[in-house]
Amino acid sequence: MESEEPASPEPVRRRPGGRAARVREAVLAAAAEAVIEHGVAKLTIADVAARAGVNETTVYRRWGTRENLVLDALRTASDQGIPVPDTGDVHTDLTTFATALADYLATPLGHAVGRAAVLGADDPALAEAWRTFWQARLDQAAVMIHRAVDRGELPAGTDAALAVELVAAPVQSRALLGHRAAEPGFAGRLAAAVLDGLRGR
Amino acid sequence: MESEEPASPEPVRRRPGGRAARVREAVLAAAAEAVIEHGVAKLTIADVAARAGVNETTVYRRWGTRENLVLDALRTASDQGIPVPDTGDVHTDLTTFATALADYLATPLGHAVGRAAVLGADDPALAEAWRTFWQARLDQAAVMIHRAVDRGELPAGTDAALAVELVAAPVQSRALLGHRAAEPGFAGRLAAAVLDGLRGR
């Protein structure tokens, strides 16, 4: 909580242009920019504060640690870059999600995030933040599967976490390992294969 | 062809302990060791030759370029580390393959190969070698699917490349991105999901 904004018994109305929101947006954008340029391991709060034009103490007060800042920046960027669709049809949802993920991983930020995650294994301070990041992404995307179960498109008891992994992992592998973009139609074929299996219906 | 071994009209019988085989094995092992220590980008033929106790010219004569040497070393190590099973049952084959892949990616060499591939995008000279490497791995593993089609376990026209991606990618993603090992039973659940789909049969 910023000291300029004392706690209020009324719900805080955050105007889009409010100072706190502007600072938050500027710092997260600066952190994302720093990740693109140098990767996560070299990100410093001093550098991010300078890029955002704010005091270091402002960043420390709001995020506390470098790890929290990185996590918030990557989560925000990924939430914006990979929205979880809700079209009312599970095949369309999964196809849209896989397409958005492929598009995001092809952006400079998405590429940097992927590389940073792979290298994150060398940084014990960040490893837990990465686990939290991926778990949050998986939980968020699992909503597509829960909704499909509620609609009767998928059987009760469908393993939502595994379902999301099956759709996301081939897209991630292609972007990170294969140096091969997902060709047109790949997301749809992937979604169909995950839903119906190789044995077909 | 080594100059010590002139071309012969007779098929060359390579004794397992023959000099050519010993040199090849020593150089590939040295290259794998160098990859584990420094990653692919920093591998030099001079270093590999020194580790293997052979002349640089021997390495150049046999492999020609650094890229060929890296590719041969990684392919050989991966062939040994991730055999393609042939059990007569597609679920068992895919489970065994996913398990072997997870085990391989948990070794120092497998870990280094994964990281090197991700970073390989920065090295244009290696990018093509990586594409060749992954394509060869996919083609090799696709035999499991072709055999299953021949046995009538999978429909004719099953997309073998996509099938292999569906099984391999979640294992790769966990090892490289998630910092989360495949738990006991994961490979079997993965194989079942890929074969039967989320909608079930």
Side-chain angles (χ1 to χ4, degrees):
Chain A
M1 178 72 61
E2 291 283 66
S3 55
E4 306 87 296
E5 290 183 83
S8 158
E10 296 295 300
V12 177
R13 283 181 305 157
R14 285 264 161 93
R15 285 160 297 144
R19 183 179 180 278
R22 280 201 311 274
V23 166
R24 181 180 141 78
E25 202 176 308
V27 171
L28 293 183
E33 191 184 278
V35 168
I36 291 170
E37 271 180 41
H38 306 300
V40 167
K42 290 186 184 157
L43 180 146
T44 66
I45 286 188
D47 176 40
V48 171
R51 287 170 191 261
V54 303
N55 285 322
E56 274 188 64
T57 48
T58 304
V59 179
Y60 277 109
R61 208 165 44 225
R62 192 181 292 249
W63 283 277
T65 65
R66 193 180 88 89
E67 284 65 39
N68 284 342
L69 172 60
V70 167
L71 196 60
D72 196 14
L74 299 184
R75 193 149 44 195
T76 302
S78 299
D79 287 351
Q80 290 164 353
I82 320 169
V84 176
D86 184 13
T87 65
D89 174 78
V90 68
H91 181 270
T92 308
D93 277 359
L94 296 182
T95 302
T96 306
F97 179 74
T99 303
L101 177 59
D103 290 348
Y104 175 68
L105 290 174
T107 65
L109 181 64
H111 185 70
V113 168
R115 290 164 48 94
V118 172
L119 298 177
D122 288 345
D123 189 336
L126 278 174
E128 186 56 36
W130 280 112
R131 268 189 292 272
T132 307
F133 173 76
W134 293 118
Q135 196 55 53
R137 299 295 320 153
L138 282 175
D139 290 348
Q140 203 175 353
V143 169
M144 292 185 291
I145 305 302
H146 298 315
R147 287 192 195 117
V149 171
D150 291 343
R151 284 191 304 264
E153 286 188 285
L154 290 177
T158 299
D159 185 335
L162 180 63
V164 173
E165 279 190 88
L166 282 169
V167 172
V171 176
Q172 292 171 325
S173 275
R174 282 186 170 213
L176 289 170
L177 288 173
H179 308 313
R180 183 161 61 126
E183 69 273 10
F186 177 69
R189 288 195 299 126
L190 176 61
V194 169
L195 289 170
D196 295 333
L198 300 179
R199 287 177 173 142
R201 290 177 64 73
Chain B
M1 179 69 65
E2 291 284 67
S3 56
E4 306 87 295
E5 293 184 75
S8 155
E10 296 294 302
V12 178
R13 282 182 306 158
R14 285 263 160 94
R15 286 161 296 144
R19 182 176 182 281
R22 279 200 311 273
V23 166
R24 183 179 139 78
E25 202 177 310
V27 171
L28 293 183
E33 190 183 278
V35 168
I36 291 172
E37 270 179 42
H38 306 300
V40 167
K42 291 187 184 156
L43 180 147
T44 65
I45 286 187
D47 176 40
V48 170
R51 286 170 192 261
V54 302
N55 284 323
E56 274 188 62
T57 48
T58 304
V59 178
Y60 278 108
R61 207 163 48 224
R62 191 180 291 246
W63 282 277
T65 64
R66 192 179 88 88
E67 284 65 39
N68 284 341
L69 171 61
V70 167
L71 196 60
D72 197 12
L74 299 185
R75 192 149 45 197
T76 302
S78 300
D79 287 351
Q80 290 164 352
I82 319 170
V84 176
D86 184 11
T87 65
D89 174 79
V90 68
H91 180 270
T92 308
D93 277 0
L94 295 182
T95 302
T96 306
F97 179 74
T99 304
L101 177 58
D103 290 347
Y104 174 69
L105 290 175
T107 65
L109 180 63
H111 184 70
V113 167
R115 290 165 50 95
V118 173
L119 299 177
D122 289 345
D123 189 337
L126 278 174
E128 186 56 36
W130 280 113
R131 269 189 291 273
T132 307
F133 173 76
W134 294 117
Q135 197 55 53
R137 299 294 320 154
L138 282 176
D139 291 348
Q140 202 176 352
V143 169
M144 291 184 291
I145 306 302
H146 299 315
R147 287 191 196 119
V149 171
D150 290 345
R151 284 192 302 262
E153 287 188 283
L154 290 177
T158 299
D159 185 336
L162 180 63
V164 172
E165 279 190 87
L166 282 169
V167 173
V171 176
Q172 291 171 326
S173 275
R174 284 188 168 213
L176 290 170
L177 288 174
H179 308 312
R180 185 161 61 123
E183 70 273 8
F186 178 70
R189 289 195 301 128
L190 176 61
V194 169
L195 289 170
D196 294 333
L198 300 179
R199 286 179 174 140
R201 291 178 62 72

